[in-house]
Amino acid sequence: MPVAPARPAGPLRGRGLLPPVLVGLLVLAVCLWGIGRRPLDHDEYATWWAATLPHADLSRLLHHTDALLAPYYVFMHGWTALAGDSATALRLPSALAMGAVSGLTALLGRRLFDDARTGVAAGVLTALAPNAAQYGQEARPYAFAALFAVAATLALLRALDRPGAVRWLLYGVALALAVLSHPLAAAVLPAHLAWARAGRRTAAWAVSACCGLLPVLPLAALGVRGGQTGQVGWNLTGWRSVVTMPYLLFGSPAVAAFGLLCALAALVAARDRVGPLALWALLPLPVTAATTGELHLFQERYLLFTLPAWALLAACGAVRVLGPYVTRRRAAAVTAAALVPVLAACSALDHTRHVTRRHPGEPDFRRAAAMVEDRARPGDGLAYSGNGTEPRALAYELRRLPARTRPTDVFTGHSARRLGRYAPDDCQDPEPCAHGFRRIWVVSTDRSGDGTDSMPSRTEDLLWDRYRPARVEWFANVRVVLLVRASRRA
């Protein structure tokens, strides 16, 4: 479809900046509500582990895993040094980023459509999407990818308005920050190309875009050379998931249905204005679905950078279709006024269910560690069985426990820091490793058996030959077993 160049909007001063600022503060408030209540999930434990490593150990880790997240981990390393490593402190940067996403989305809507109503509507729709709050409450880089994707788009449109070296440089920097936050954010480039072609600045755009992509190339090469592409090999999907992805992006059936209907209205009523937005919102879905067998990137958190485009499409459709009727007909105005509270109520229910509570399937290591902390004695040991998250989760949850009462990892061979991994390896001979430990706490995410099924067979045999269970406690998706050494007479 032909793309009309975006009309330059007048400068924003005084009251013109107030609506985007208010929208940003609204989303920030939503993200801050209950931000520290939910326990960390397994990815957030990884963020804490990487962010609190010394630089040499972090470099060793990134050579083995998560090289593409190096900029985020380096940023979080500095952030935790200043703000601490509580759940709230770890998540606060994402909350601030998501608030900025909504504010910049409101600015972008005004810039694209020369209409403050469209920008405000897009920002409010972002606030109503529970996923915006969810990833604004997660210590991961996805909110930053969305933030810099919107910032790069705004910088591009300003460069197209009045081309100049400084403006093209700002665009390249914003694009670099987007792809450094998450490489998939580069999928915004087809939309940028469409705007650049409409503004007849394709060559200048191409130079700036290439410069913006350069910083991520060494990290991508390190990831490929280090065999890190299989880290998310579990993430497989089918084409049926493409249909449900818009719902997953919004996180609420009611908000998703409203957004999709309004986006469809925009594609029909304003197709000459929303072509690039449609590329931004829609193109990454089939691309990531088609490459899921090789890249494994078809997940809503990786596609969060498309949420502003969906919100802008929906806002455009709502303003174009509903706007004239709302101003002319009282019944339509009442309906529209009632629709926002209904959507807000549905969003609040989904927000409460998905954001402030533990994610389904996530082990409640916080309560498990609290039990160990309350009943631990000097000289106790710790052992783990499960998927490998347990060592860093317990290291985080027990980090405030004094060293003299903190249980010692029993069956650790080489430490995670020395290996440059997220988890240590097992000692080769478990018998000398267990020598001197009368009590061992086993923290297990095994859902069947006696809680030690994921351990090496020699370690499992030693525990059940030499120790007896004295206490077993179940928490959500995790169990804690206290083993006490059996008497020689027994």
Side-chain angles (χ1 to χ4, degrees):
M1 66 180 68
V3 177
R7 291 186 294 268
L12 285 174
R13 297 188 184 94
R15 293 183 179 180
L17 281 173
L18 185 60
V21 170
L22 292 178
V23 167
L25 291 175
L26 171 64
V27 173
L28 177 60
V30 171
C31 291
L32 291 177
W33 180 61
I35 191 171
R37 188 185 311 171
R38 176 174 52 83
L40 300 187
D41 62 28
H42 65 284
D43 283 337
E44 291 179 299
Y45 285 124
T47 294
W48 168 78
W49 175 256
T52 53
L53 288 174
H55 288 295
D57 294 330
L58 177 58
S59 177
R60 190 179 302 113
L61 174 71
L62 295 173
H63 274 80
H64 290 98
T65 183
D66 279 348
L68 291 172
L69 298 183
Y72 177 70
Y73 287 158
V74 170
F75 165 76
M76 289 300 292
H77 187 281
W79 174 262
T80 54
L82 294 173
D85 62 355
S86 67
T88 298
L90 289 170
R91 292 165 175 163
L92 184 57
S94 294
L96 294 170
M98 192 55 71
V101 167
S102 59
L104 291 182
T105 299
L107 284 177
L108 182 57
R110 180 189 184 279
R111 170 62 186 76
L112 286 173
F113 303 104
D114 198 16
D115 181 6
R117 295 178 304 167
T118 304
V120 171
V124 171
L125 190 59
T126 304
L128 293 176
N131 259 10
Q134 177 178 334
Y135 294 110
Q137 290 187 354
E138 189 162 307
R140 299 298 281 173
Y142 314 120
F144 287 92
L147 168 61
F148 292 119
V150 178
T153 304
L154 274 169
L156 170 67
L157 296 178
R158 287 178 59 83
L160 293 175
D161 285 346
R162 287 188 295 171
V166 173
R167 294 195 173 197
W168 284 114
L169 177 62
L170 289 175
Y171 167 68
V173 170
L175 180 62
L177 291 172
V179 296
L180 287 172
S181 298
H182 198 280
L184 189 55
V188 76
L189 286 174
H192 289 182
L193 173 59
W195 274 309
R197 291 184 62 185
R200 298 181 180 180
R201 301 288 179 184
T202 306
W205 167 82
V207 172
S208 295
C210 289
C211 292
L213 294 175
L214 284 178
V216 81
L217 295 181
L219 299 177
L222 177 60
V224 172
R225 189 168 60 249
Q228 299 180 22
T229 55
Q231 289 174 209
V232 288
W234 53 268
N235 180 17
L236 296 173
T237 188
W239 284 100
R240 293 181 181 178
S241 302
V242 176
V243 179
T244 60
M245 181 53 72
Y247 155 68
L248 295 175
L249 280 170
F250 282 101
S252 167
V255 178
F258 175 79
L260 285 174
L261 287 174
C262 291
L264 181 61
L267 292 173
V268 173
R271 57 184 179 273
D272 60 325
R273 307 294 304 173
V274 300
L277 283 177
L279 287 174
W280 181 357
L282 295 171
L283 187 60
L285 272 64
V287 171
T288 52
T291 58
T292 186
E294 295 77 26
L295 300 178
H296 315 289
L297 293 175
F298 190 77
Q299 283 286 320
E300 70 273 11
R301 59 182 180 271
Y302 301 147
L303 293 166
L304 187 69
F305 73 95
T306 66
L307 182 61
W310 284 102
L312 286 165
L313 281 173
C316 174
V319 170
R320 288 292 181 99
V321 174
L322 298 178
Y325 293 95
V326 169
T327 57
R328 295 174 188 173
R329 300 184 182 182
R330 183 175 300 176
V334 172
T335 302
L339 186 61
V340 173
V342 170
L343 289 175
C346 295
S347 174
L349 290 174
D350 290 311
H351 177 87
T352 302
R353 184 167 64 251
H354 295 300
V355 177
T356 60
R357 300 179 185 178
R358 180 183 47 81
H359 292 169
E362 284 287 340
D364 192 350
F365 288 115
R366 179 182 289 178
R367 292 181 60 202
M371 175 195 167
V372 175
E373 183 175 351
D374 289 342
R375 295 171 173 81
R377 300 176 186 173
D380 282 0
L382 262 178
Y384 312 101
S385 180
N387 59 18
T389 305
E390 302 82 10
R392 62 179 178 270
L394 268 292
Y396 176 81
E397 300 296 347
L398 297 176
R399 69 196 186 285
R400 306 300 184 200
L401 199 62
R404 64 183 182 83
T405 58
R406 186 186 308 147
T408 304
D409 287 1
V410 177
F411 299 110
T412 294
H414 299 95
S415 69
R417 289 188 177 187
R418 178 179 174 183
L419 293 171
R421 305 285 184 183
Y422 284 117
D425 64 359
D426 298 309
C427 58
Q428 297 299 313
D429 188 354
E431 187 160 353
C433 291
H435 180 72
F437 288 97
R438 183 176 178 274
R439 303 186 348 146
I440 297 178
W441 296 90
V442 178
V443 179
S444 172
T445 54
D446 286 335
R447 296 178 181 236
S448 60
D450 52 23
T452 58
D453 291 354
S454 297
M455 289 182 171
S457 57
R458 293 179 64 188
T459 303
E460 185 180 13
D461 293 342
L462 180 143
L463 284 176
W464 295 112
D465 287 346
R466 307 289 177 86
Y467 293 82
R468 298 292 180 265
R471 189 183 189 95
V472 179
E473 291 284 347
W474 281 91
F475 303 96
N477 302 305
V478 61
R479 88 178 104 179
V480 179
V481 182
L482 174 60
L483 297 178
V484 178
R485 185 178 286 273
S487 64
R488 292 182 179 179
R489 184 178 300 175

